[in-house]
Amino acid sequence: MLCREAARRVVYSHGNEVYIHSVERRGGWLVAVCYVRSESSRDKCYQVVLKLRPGTRYFTGHCDCPDFKYRGGPCKHIVKAKVALREYLKIAKRVE
Ligand SMILES: [Zn+2]
């Protein structure tokens, strides 16, 4: 997805690098859909879906970049999305 499309309708954007589209509770999970800017092609964003267990440090993540597909493990986009989500949750808590 192009980042300028990902930048529309966001709940939170983190320094033009991470765009959080939605954060919602599903069962016992907090599910966040994010778009993270690619380092190599700057107008492109990868989709990262993060699932967190609220109140614990446990999370899983999925990214649609080639690195994640190849290694099947956490890539830097997941790390970036997690940092942005933590910031967002801090702000959301303050607003409540
Ligand atoms: Zn990735």
Side-chain angles (χ1 to χ4, degrees), residues 12-59:
Y12 179 68
S13 73
H14 191 72
N16 280 332
E17 288 291 319
V18 183
Y19 302 96
I20 300 179
H21 261 224
S22 64
V23 181
E24 58 180 41
R25 276 183 189 272
R26 267 185 229 161
W29 295 90
L30 196 66
V31 181
V33 178
C34 316
Y35 291 89
V36 182
R37 194 178 291 273
S38 160
E39 297 75 20
S40 47
S41 50
R42 297 294 290 166
D43 57 339
K44 205 180 158 193
C45 274
Y46 295 118
Q47 189 191 59
V48 175
V49 178
L50 286 177
K51 290 172 79 181
L52 283 87
R53 277 266 181 219
T56 73
R57 298 176 69 86
Y58 185 71
F59 81 101

Side-chain angles (χ1 to χ4, degrees), residues 36 46-48 62-69 73-78:
V36 182
Y46 295 118
Q47 189 191 59
V48 175
H62 184 273
C63 179
D64 67 359
C65 76
D67 186 38
F68 183 89
K69 219 169 277 175
C75 57
K76 51 198 161 194
H77 312 112
I78 289 178

